[in-house]
Amino acid sequence: MAKKDILERLAAGEMIMGDGSYACTLERRGYVKAGSWTPEAAPEHPGAVEQLAIEFSRAGADVTQTFSFWCHESSLPKGCKYTCDQINQVSCDIAKKIAKKYGTITAGGLSQTGNFARWSSKETVQKDLRRAVQILVKNDIDLIICEYFRNIKEMEWAIEVALETGKPVAANMCMGPTGDEEGVTVGECAIRMAKAGAHLVGVNCLFDPNILLEVMKDMKASLDLFNLKPYLMVQPLGFMCPDGGNYGWVNLPEFPFATEPRQITRWEARKFAREAYDLGIRYIGGCCGFEPYHIRAMGEELRDIRGKLPESSDKSDYDLSLHAKLEESFERYKDKGKESYWKDMAPCTGRPLSTAFCRQSDPVTVHKAIFKK
């Protein structure tokens, strides 16, 4: 029997679980260089990339995405021994290998060119995008995800290129509540992505789950107003940044080397997954900072919807039954066997002089008055 494609599964009412962080996680593990964030680790250390993909699959991800983010010839670091085609081919090989073993959907990312501001020609931009997508088509990747686009016009051009492949196309803008880099509202961006033909519409990265859920509410309201019905998709940042700027966490003083205290907990990941599902979002995943245990927590939260648990939940006290028993025996475990204890928690940093917010010069999610000296 032929494997159902993602659109057939979504049409049947299935909720699709995305995977999580590659570049950020592999940087922490010593395989990606912060600042470059390029994916040459695929041919340099294929075992490391494959291991992370395995962890996401065991955590319940329905999708294995190729590690091809930001792979343009002009973005590769000086002295890189591999071409974009070589990097992307290994990335596709890894994704296909994991899909064969775990039955996941393969997805290939098509990201912004990084040259949109200086390339005024649509033909020039699309030539770069077509080159990037060719390797995905050659390897029969199941889903094309246009992601990390900051300008809706470039996104529309990317969707056009992606649709030429005949594959299902997802489109994720990389923006917060104030819209794209030119101030086009999130609602208009959603409408334009849907009208451009994207089958799935949403946002990814830069902003945390709480912020992007609010963005998705605005997008959904606008789509409903125009009676547009693409499937909704969200893959947020795994770090809390209510004090982020127009570039989200990139504007934080801690970015990129001291963001660990801001990482979301597995319980925050669970709350996000439930809220996203209740909002009508049917492709739910994560971006930078979403580790395999976050994806597993999301799968555990939605086990009533999905009718199953992730493979790696065999090593997880997902229903707190173990901690409920420990609570009976030890005072130090008081209330730790209750889900409400963890979901209502406001975690401490352990740093007496830490502050809730940085002094953001140009905030986009909170009023600038709170940052006055």
Side-chain angles (χ1 to χ4, degrees):
M1 181 183 293
K3 183 173 73 172
K4 289 184 179 180
D5 73 19
I6 188 171
L7 297 182
E8 291 175 310
R9 292 171 66 174
L10 287 166
E14 188 174 345
M15 175 257 154
I16 301 296
M17 184 79 73
D19 55 9
S21 167
Y22 275 85
C24 184
T25 296
L26 288 168
E27 188 278 329
R28 290 182 173 190
R29 296 184 180 188
Y31 300 103
V32 166
K33 191 170 186 177
S36 297
W37 304 113
T38 45
E40 64 273 13
E44 288 176 347
H45 303 282
V49 178
E50 181 178 335
Q51 177 58 33
L52 183 54
I54 288 170
E55 291 174 32
F56 281 126
S57 297
R58 293 188 70 249
D62 295 311
V63 176
T64 300
Q65 193 162 340
T66 61
F67 183 41
S68 52
F69 171 75
W70 204 237
C71 198
H72 304 283
E73 296 293 351
S74 60
S75 66
L76 294 179
K78 186 177 181 180
C80 181
K81 298 177 182 178
Y82 301 95
T83 66
C84 282
D85 285 347
Q86 289 172 324
I87 293 169
N88 288 341
Q89 182 58 58
V90 177
S91 297
C92 288
D93 290 343
I94 292 169
K96 298 282 279 189
K97 181 179 179 180
I98 299 302
K100 184 176 181 179
K101 181 176 180 180
Y102 290 96
T104 52
I105 298 163
T106 55
L110 190 63
S111 55
Q112 63 178 355
T113 62
N115 294 299
F116 179 75
R118 63 185 179 88
W119 288 352
S120 58
S121 165
K122 176 180 179 181
E123 290 73 22
T124 305
V125 172
Q126 288 193 325
K127 181 180 179 181
D128 190 75
L129 293 170
R130 283 194 180 95
R131 174 170 182 175
V133 83
Q134 280 176 356
I135 197 78
L136 305 178
V137 175
K138 176 184 174 183
N139 286 275
D140 196 25
I141 297 301
D142 300 320
L143 169 68
I144 309 298
I145 304 178
C146 303
E147 63 178 357
Y148 208 86
F149 281 81
R150 297 272 295 154
N151 188 291
I152 185 59
K153 183 179 287 186
E154 187 179 21
M155 171 61 93
E156 289 172 319
W157 294 352
I159 293 170
E160 188 176 306
V161 169
L163 287 171
E164 292 170 359
T165 68
K167 301 287 187 179
V169 174
N172 286 182
M173 287 295 291
C174 196
M175 62 183 179
T178 55
D180 83 346
E181 63 184 3
E182 293 187 350
V184 178
T185 66
V186 297
E188 182 177 340
C189 286
I191 292 165
R192 288 171 65 172
M193 286 189 288
K195 286 187 173 181
H199 304 103
L200 296 95
V201 166
V203 282
N204 82 296
C205 207
L206 289 190
F207 293 91
D208 65 53
N210 293 340
I211 294 169
L212 289 194
L213 283 176
E214 293 302 315
V215 171
M216 290 302 299
K217 288 177 185 177
D218 287 346
M219 294 178 84
K220 185 176 186 296
S222 296
L223 291 166
D224 289 346
L225 189 64
F226 282 77
N227 198 33
L228 296 167
K229 303 297 181 183
Y231 296 107
L232 300 180
M233 173 177 179
V234 65
Q235 300 206 104
L237 183 74
F239 301 94
M240 302 303 274
C241 57
D243 47 344
N246 185 51
Y247 240 97
W249 75 316
V250 179
N251 295 109
L252 297 176
E254 300 97 328
F255 177 85
F257 297 126
T259 56
E260 287 85 351
R262 290 175 176 265
Q263 191 156 35
I264 67 171
T265 70
R266 69 193 69 197
W267 296 96
E268 288 165 332
R270 285 181 65 149
K271 288 196 293 184
F272 153 68
R274 181 65 66 179
E275 290 177 33
Y277 184 84
D278 289 346
L279 185 60
I281 301 170
R282 292 297 177 263
Y283 187 126
I284 306 171
C287 203
C288 299
F290 265 79
E291 301 289 333
Y293 71 90
H294 291 113
I295 301 300
R296 181 182 68 180
M298 291 159 55
E300 290 168 349
E301 174 66 25
L302 297 176
R303 62 189 184 276
D304 59 324
I305 303 297
R306 291 166 60 77
K308 61 182 179 180
L309 281 166
E311 179 181 327
S312 60
S313 292
D314 63 344
K315 298 296 184 182
S316 170
D317 190 19
Y318 62 88
D319 61 358
L320 298 175
S321 56
L322 174 57
H323 281 75
K325 291 179 180 178
L326 290 170
E327 184 181 347
E328 293 173 2
S329 304
F330 302 100
E331 177 62 25
R332 62 180 178 272
Y333 283 96
K334 181 176 170 56
D335 294 329
K336 292 186 178 181
K338 300 179 178 67
E339 192 172 294
S340 59
Y341 172 89
W342 298 105
K343 286 189 173 179
D344 295 340
M345 174 179 280
C348 300
T349 67
R351 297 171 175 81
L353 299 182
S354 66
T355 58
F357 285 177
C358 72
R359 197 177 293 279
Q360 182 62 243
S361 60
D362 190 22
V364 299
T365 58
V366 293
H367 200 282
K368 62 183 179 181
I370 72 171
F371 297 113
K372 284 186 176 180
K373 293 183 179 180

